[in-house]
């Protein structure tokens, strides 16, 4: 008993069947037994004195998103049987529900804090007393890193348990970046304010998140963006991917002391983000994505300028990556380091490029297309070795694929005669609906969903960054590795702290 | 093999920007705004209503760069009255100078009287900075990283980011400062030897930006210690940061 919708679909709350928990658990478990399915989100919404839970399970083969629901009282007395016992990928969602509302999940392997939100159920839980896993032993030692790291990056704490140089276990404790994003989405009642919020969730995924937000607002308003805008949005998505992937190629080179690879890629990344700046005035695309329209349509002249730069970037990126991935000194550091297997990726619910390097085909552009991806025959690139090399090399392949796609779309935009629309901020959202919007950012799937009340006001807003799933992949990847390989493992995933902490 | 590298190198060419004070950024870059003296109080009021972060004042009409997230929506509302120039030199040490008033199209500069005496002698030749992201969204962080890259090459003035506060001459803070980061930030500040600089980068750090009224923040830190430089932007452009720091420590652009 559940409802199915498509990506960017909406459904009246009243039409979603509310199951008894055992029936809910059975259905969820049954769906997740299929390898085509994974959970994109599972959360609880407070209604009066009760909690209504919504679980979204995406079927990558049928393009459906199944919505299952159950209810409990909103009280820390409530105890539920943990589903993570059988389907480990749900661990993070049950932890989140536990942290927010105090709900107990019996048999959960790891019911620890997620991000210490300001409105958490138990204020006695503070970052200072995070319950790290310990091993009592005279031979092992612990290494703590963070929250402030050596580089110019966001804060988070890593706790290693090591046997000499070898990492036995890594636990990642986050939450330092918590800004109360989800609550602000409810509190701020102007569409523009919410656009700015969406753009600020993760500065490296401005387009991915702001497009998820815009898509959600459009479907809740009951209208869709026009075809021109849909294509321009794909260009924006792919430019973001290209820029970050090239930047990461640079960073991976830095970490193995291949300075030439570092500087050449730095310069190429600059060209790409300056192309975004030429387009909309901001190197990361802030201000570009707005509901129903844009202030920055691409005209033929701009398209030609973008094409010329990207052609240059493509050629040079090919040259330098050919060099990087043929250097024995680089390969020696990347190959068979930080491996995760397809089985592990499936188990933890890995998404995006981390999943695709293990042969697991998870790509929203392909399975649940949004914006202009509907009209593009897009097939994700897959690798199978799941090591640092695969995560580096997949970036190379994806950059080439994205450049190709952007080139084609820019040529198409030059011919298109659909007029560009201005953004609309005065939105009338349909009452008592639940909506979901998925995009495939460069890291993986981004999910925004919202619930409206009888007046069409947003009363609940939920954001999921792909990092929510993938931090566990990093923890697994460094097991049995030398601790000195942690930086390249970390960089090869390049996960978001603020996207996770919200 | 070596031949391949030489080929790449030739095409890579010279990347560094020779004069960081005279770069012509993309025409659409959103830098220092200009408000026409002809804007009416009513128009300013309408723009104020729209502004997502309360950056617009009405008497006289003004934009506070410390609050502005540079969304440019006020311009789209009144294209004739408010415009954003591509002038990226908008860092200052005097918070009053962050407020751009109608009819005042003069550049944003530092207030020489507010620059502490020791700054020039201690930091005028080389400067090691420790960056702390306190709930920053990673956009300002990426731009600060870019300051040291082959294009902006801040290292040529002996300015760089270091791994430990104990090696640093000052802190560069990004992000609106979450409650969960407040303690770590404070510890980091005290670990930095005196005399030290304190620099806020990005609108989120300067005012909290779009997060200003979030209960998840704790900005007490900023009331306790003197701030030497405000670098506005969403995110702050590398050139805004570099020019601001150079003017602060060397008194020139
Ligand atoms: S550009 Fe700045 S002043 Fe204008 S509306 Fe946006 S935030 Fe407000």
């Amino acid at each position: 008993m559940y409802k199915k919708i498509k990506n960017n679909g909406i459904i009246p709350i009243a039409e979603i069947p509310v199951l008894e928990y055992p029936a809910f658990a059975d259905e969820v478990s049954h769906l997740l037994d299929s390898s085509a399915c994974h959970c994109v989100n599972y959360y609880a919404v407070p209604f009066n004195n009760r909690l209504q839970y919504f679980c979204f399970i995406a079927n990558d083969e049928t393009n459906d998103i199944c919505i299952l629901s159950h209810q409990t009282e909103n009280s820390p007395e409530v105890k539920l049987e943990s589903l993570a016992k059988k389907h480990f990928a749900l661990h993070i969602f049950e932890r989140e529900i536990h942290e927010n509302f105090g709900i107990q999940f019996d048999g959960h392997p790891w019911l620890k804090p997620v991000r210490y939100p300001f409105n958490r159920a138990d204020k006695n839980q503070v970052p200072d007393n995070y319950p790290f896993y310990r091993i009592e032993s005279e031979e092992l030692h612990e290494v703590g890193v963070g929250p402030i790291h050596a580089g110019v990056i966001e804060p988070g704490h890593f706790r290693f348990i090591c046997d000499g140089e070898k990492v036995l276990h890594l636990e990642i404790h986050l939450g330092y970046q918590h800004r109360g994003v989800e609550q602000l989405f409810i509190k701020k009642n102007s569409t523009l304010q919410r656009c700015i919020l969406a753009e600020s969730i993760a500065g490296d995924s401005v387009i991915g998140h702001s497009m998820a937000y815009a898509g959600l607002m459009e479907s809740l308003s009951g209208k869709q963006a026009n075809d021109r805008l849909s294509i321009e949005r794909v260009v924006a998505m792919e430019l973001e991917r290209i820029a970050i992937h090239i930047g990461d190629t640079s960073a991976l080179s830095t970490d193995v002391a291949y300075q030439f690879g570092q500087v050449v890629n730095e310069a190429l990344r600059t060209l790409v983000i300056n192309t975004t700046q030429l387009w909309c005035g901001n190197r990361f695309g802030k201000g570009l994505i707005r509901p129903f329209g844009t202030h920055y349509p691409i005209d033929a002249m701009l398209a030609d300028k973008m094409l010329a730069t990207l052609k240059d970037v493509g050629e040079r990126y090919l040259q330098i990556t050919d060099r990087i991935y043929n250097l024995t000194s680089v390969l020696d550091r990347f190959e068979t380091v930080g491996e995760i297997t397809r089985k592990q990726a499936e188990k933890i619910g890995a998404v995006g490029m981390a999943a695709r390097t293990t042969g697991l085909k998870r790509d929203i552009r392909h399975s649940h297309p949004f914006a202009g991806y509907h009209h593009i025959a897009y097939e994700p690139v897959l690798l199978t070795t799941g090591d640092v090399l695969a995560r580096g090399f997949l970036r190379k392949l994806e950059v080439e694929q994205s450049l190709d796609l952007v080139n084609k779309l820019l040529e198409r935009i030059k011919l298109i005669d659909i007029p560009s629309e201005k953004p609309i901020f005065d939105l009338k959202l349909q009452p008592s609906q639940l909506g979901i919007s998925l995009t495939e950012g460069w890291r993986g799937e981004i999910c925004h969903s919202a619930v409206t009340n009888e007046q069409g006001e947003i009363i609940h807003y939920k954001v999921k960054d792909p990092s929510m799933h993938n931090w566990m992949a990093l923890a697994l990847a460094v097991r049995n590795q030398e601790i000195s390989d942690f930086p390249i493992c970390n960089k090869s995933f390049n996960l978001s702290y603020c996207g996770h902490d919200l | 093999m070596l031949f391949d590298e030489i080929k790449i190198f030739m095409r890579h060419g010279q990347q560094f920007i020779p004069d960081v004070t005279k770069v012509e950024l993309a025409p659409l870059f959103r830098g220092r705004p200009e408000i026409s003296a002809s804007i009416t109080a009513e128009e300013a009021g309408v723009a104020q209503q729209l502004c997502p972060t309360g950056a617009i004042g009405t008497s006289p009409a003004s934009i506070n760069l410390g609050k502005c997230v540079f969304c440019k929506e006020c311009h789209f509302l009144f294209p004739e009255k408010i415009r954003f120039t591509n002038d990226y030199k908008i860092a200052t040490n005097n918070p009053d100078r962050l407020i751009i008033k109608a009819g005042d199209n003069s550049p944003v500069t530092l207030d020489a009287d507010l620059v502490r005496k020791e700054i020039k002698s201690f930091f005028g030749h080389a400067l090691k900075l420790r960056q702390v992201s306190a709930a920053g969204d990673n956009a300002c962080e990426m731009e600060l990283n870019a300051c040291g890259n082959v294009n902006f090459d801040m290292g040529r003035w002996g300015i760089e980011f270091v791994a430990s506060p104990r090696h640093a001459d000052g802190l560069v803070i990004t992000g609106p400062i979450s409650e969960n980061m407040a303690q770590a930030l404070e510890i980091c500040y005290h670990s930095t030897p005196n005399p030290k600089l304190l620099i806020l980068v990005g609108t989120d750090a300067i005012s909290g930006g779009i997060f200003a009224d979030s209960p998840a923040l704790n900005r007490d830190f900023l009331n306790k210690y003197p701030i030497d430089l405000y670098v506005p932007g969403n995110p702050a452009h590398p050139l805004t940061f570099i020019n601001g720091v150079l003017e602060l420590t060397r008194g020139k652009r």
Side-chain angles (χ1 to χ4, degrees):
Chain A
M1 279 286 286
Y2 52 83
K3 285 282 174 185
K4 290 183 197 167
I5 58 173
K6 297 288 181 194
N7 187 9
N8 282 310
I10 58 170
I11 181 168
I13 295 277
E15 283 181 20
I16 303 171
V18 178
L19 307 175
E20 291 299 323
Y21 188 69
F24 168 87
D26 278 354
E27 291 273 17
V28 167
S29 186
H30 179 70
L31 283 169
L32 290 178
D33 281 339
S34 153
S35 64
C37 291
H38 73 284
C39 179
V40 294
N41 222 338
Y42 173 34
Y43 56 80
V45 181
F47 278 124
N48 306 322
N49 287 325
R50 294 182 69 75
L51 287 178
Q52 182 162 3
Y53 300 67
F54 297 100
C55 183
F56 301 84
I57 295 179
N59 184 322
D60 291 347
E61 277 162 18
T62 61
N63 322 116
D64 291 319
I65 299 167
C66 310
I67 307 176
L68 299 96
S69 182
H70 70 95
Q71 280 191 3
T72 66
E73 281 183 23
N74 187 356
S75 142
E77 307 291 300
V78 174
K79 266 197 174 51
L80 298 170
E81 191 70 19
S82 168
L83 296 175
K85 271 194 298 187
K86 180 156 180 249
H87 294 285
F88 182 74
L90 298 173
H91 80 105
I92 191 74
F93 301 119
E94 289 186 345
R95 279 169 67 181
E96 193 184 34
I97 295 167
H98 171 69
E99 182 172 49
N100 290 345
F101 304 104
I103 306 299
Q104 296 296 327
F105 287 95
D106 268 356
H108 189 288
W110 203 252
L111 209 51
K112 300 189 179 196
V114 176
R115 63 171 74 90
Y116 300 94
F118 72 92
N119 52 351
R120 59 190 176 272
D122 181 1
K123 290 273 164 51
N124 294 323
Q125 299 273 9
V126 291
D128 266 357
N129 60 16
Y130 182 90
F132 286 105
Y133 177 71
R134 314 286 297 251
I135 302 177
E136 296 305 332
S137 157
E138 301 214 328
E139 267 128 62
L140 306 178
H141 66 279
E142 291 188 359
V143 180
V145 182
I148 302 176
H149 300 269
V152 180
I153 62 169
E154 301 173 64
H157 185 95
F158 301 108
R159 185 71 61 93
F160 300 87
I161 300 175
C162 299
D163 179 4
E165 299 279 294
K166 193 167 82 180
V167 178
L168 295 185
H169 176 80
L170 162 62
E171 188 159 355
I172 301 167
H173 148 34
L174 301 171
Y176 298 97
Q177 293 281 69
H178 177 66
R179 297 156 293 173
V181 166
E182 291 176 335
Q183 290 304 309
L184 286 176
F185 265 107
I186 303 168
K187 187 165 152 188
K188 308 256 176 209
N189 48 21
S190 96
T191 304
L192 176 58
Q193 284 178 323
R194 290 179 179 143
C195 284
I196 306 297
L197 259 182
E199 288 175 343
S200 309
I201 292 171
D204 53 33
S205 301
V206 169
I207 304 292
H209 274 288
S210 54
M211 198 175 302
Y213 167 74
L216 184 57
M217 291 306 110
E218 285 157 7
S219 41
L220 282 170
S221 320
K223 288 180 295 221
Q224 289 307 317
N226 75 19
D227 281 354
R228 165 189 266 283
L229 190 62
S230 301
I231 296 177
E232 288 177 349
R233 286 177 173 182
V234 173
V235 173
M237 275 312 280
E238 297 304 324
L239 277 181
E240 183 166 89
R241 189 180 325 275
I242 294 165
I244 300 279
H245 280 1
I246 296 179
D248 284 346
T249 313
S250 170
L252 281 167
S253 304
T254 313
D255 280 351
V256 295
Y258 183 44
Q259 206 229 1
F260 191 62
Q262 174 198 333
V263 296
V264 171
N265 281 298
E266 265 174 8
L268 295 178
R269 169 185 174 266
T270 303
L271 288 175
V272 180
I273 57 178
N274 283 355
T275 302
T276 306
Q277 179 175 259
L278 182 75
W279 178 7
C280 71
N282 185 288
R283 306 218 294 171
F284 302 105
K286 290 190 176 187
L288 181 57
I289 307 294
R290 297 284 181 258
F292 293 109
T294 177
H295 294 299
Y296 308 99
I298 299 180
D299 59 20
M301 211 165 80
L302 177 62
D304 281 335
K305 279 191 192 156
M306 292 167 87
L307 280 164
T309 310
L310 295 176
K311 181 166 174 286
D312 182 40
V313 169
E315 288 166 6
R316 288 160 65 185
Y317 187 66
L318 198 68
Q319 283 178 335
I320 188 66
T321 47
D322 270 352
R323 187 84 185 112
I324 292 173
Y325 295 109
N326 278 307
L327 273 180
T328 12
S329 55
V330 171
L331 295 179
D332 186 49
R333 293 290 313 275
F334 287 177
E335 235 167 345
T336 69
V337 171
E339 286 169 313
I340 53 164
T341 62
R342 173 170 177 154
K343 222 167 131 201
Q344 285 176 318
E346 276 178 358
K347 188 166 178 191
I348 64 170
V351 295
M353 53 162 300
R356 295 197 289 277
T357 55
T358 69
L360 182 58
K361 188 153 112 185
R362 286 224 174 116
D363 193 325
I364 296 300
R365 291 172 290 174
H366 176 73
S367 57
H368 305 271
F370 55 100
Y373 292 102
H374 284 287
H375 314 295
I376 297 162
Y378 164 80
E379 189 58 44
V381 202
L382 297 179
L383 293 174
T384 54
T385 51
D387 52 2
V388 172
L389 178 62
R391 289 186 289 276
F393 201 69
L394 191 82
R395 286 179 164 91
K396 167 188 161 67
L397 299 175
E398 289 199 347
V399 167
E400 286 164 17
Q401 193 187 33
S402 299
L403 280 169
D404 194 48
L405 183 55
V406 170
N407 285 344
K408 286 194 186 116
L409 294 178
L410 286 173
E411 292 294 352
R412 192 143 112 205
I413 286 171
K414 287 201 280 183
L415 305 174
I416 218 163
D417 58 3
I418 307 168
S420 180
E421 310 271 353
K422 289 276 166 228
I424 300 176
F425 292 122
D426 184 18
L427 302 177
K428 295 266 171 300
L429 306 185
Q430 299 183 43
S432 309
Q433 302 281 328
L434 170 68
I436 183 165
S437 170
L438 294 167
T439 63
E440 183 76 16
W442 65 269
R443 277 193 189 93
E445 74 184 34
I446 292 169
C447 174
H448 284 213
S449 59
V451 173
T452 57
N453 65 7
E454 291 93 33
Q455 286 77 44
E457 295 155 351
I458 294 176
I459 51 164
H460 191 264
Y461 199 93
K462 196 83 196 132
V463 177
K464 186 210 69 184
D465 188 86
S467 308
M468 276 286 276
H469 303 274
N470 287 359
W471 276 110
M472 184 55 86
L474 172 62
L476 294 177
V478 297
R479 284 196 182 167
N480 295 316
Q481 304 294 303
E482 293 197 14
I483 192 165
S484 52
D485 277 336
F486 174 70
I488 50 170
C489 290
N490 189 18
K491 193 47 81 181
S492 71
F493 287 99
N494 191 4
L495 300 172
S496 177
Y497 301 74
C498 52
H500 175 280
D501 293 346
L502 297 174
Chain B
M1 286 296 251
L2 187 63
F3 186 64
D4 288 340
E5 236 163 45
I6 292 170
K7 257 193 348 206
I8 299 171
F9 191 66
M10 299 297 286
R11 198 151 168 194
H12 179 71
Q14 174 191 307
Q15 288 290 335
F16 79 97
I17 297 166
D19 186 349
V20 290
T21 63
K22 294 199 182 70
V23 180
E24 185 67 31
L25 287 181
L28 285 179
F29 174 77
R30 301 165 224 151
R32 179 176 54 82
E34 290 180 354
I35 309 171
S36 156
S38 68
I39 195 167
T40 65
E42 203 190 337
E43 286 165 338
V46 176
Q48 188 179 49
Q49 286 292 309
L50 173 86
C51 179
T53 49
I56 296 181
T58 47
S59 54
S62 65
I63 292 179
N64 183 343
L65 297 183
K67 290 185 173 180
C68 173
V69 289
F70 296 85
C71 66
K72 207 177 161 181
E73 296 293 345
C74 50
H75 159 81
F76 293 116
L77 199 61
F78 297 111
E80 308 293 320
K81 304 291 170 73
I82 302 174
R83 67 181 206 107
F84 282 78
T85 69
N86 61 355
D87 175 5
Y88 52 82
K89 287 181 234 165
I90 50 175
T92 180
N93 55 347
N94 182 346
D96 293 340
R97 296 192 182 187
L98 290 172
I99 299 170
I100 307 288
K101 299 189 187 68
D104 181 4
N105 298 344
S106 56
V108 177
T109 53
L110 266 74
D111 187 339
D113 296 342
L114 293 181
V115 179
R116 286 183 284 140
K117 299 271 167 318
E118 62 268 30
I119 288 183
K120 207 168 164 188
S121 55
F122 274 89
F123 309 127
H125 301 284
L127 179 65
K128 307 292 161 190
L129 295 166
R130 175 62 248 189
Q131 204 275 320
V132 181
S133 168
D137 76 357
N138 202 21
C140 275
E141 290 79 353
M142 285 193 290
E143 289 298 45
L144 290 173
N145 269 320
C147 290
N149 76 12
V150 284
N151 306 104
F152 301 105
D153 190 21
M154 172 171 85
R156 72 182 106 163
W157 296 284
I159 306 172
E160 64 176 359
F161 290 105
V162 291
S164 166
R166 300 194 196 281
H167 304 161
D169 303 318
L171 290 192
V172 175
I173 300 173
T174 54
I177 312 184
S178 56
E179 171 71 47
N180 295 351
M181 254 320 266
Q183 189 193 359
L185 174 61
E186 186 95 30
I187 294 171
C188 192
Y189 182 79
H190 291 299
S191 307
T192 310
N194 282 318
K196 55 192 158 195
L197 295 180
L198 194 53
I199 300 175
L200 301 184
V201 174
T203 298
D204 286 355
I206 298 173
S207 67
I210 192 72
F211 302 104
D213 55 350
S214 170
L217 304 188
N218 177 354
R219 295 174 55 77
D220 291 349
F221 175 88
L222 299 178
N223 302 328
K224 290 192 250 176
Y225 308 107
I227 292 150
D228 295 295
L229 190 66
Y230 301 86
V231 186
N234 178 32
H237 195 280
L239 291 171
T240 312
F241 179 77
I242 293 173
N243 278 281
V245 169
L246 286 178
E247 195 182 343
L248 175 70
T249 55
R250 304 179 187 201
K252 60 167 193 245
R253 294 233 168 192

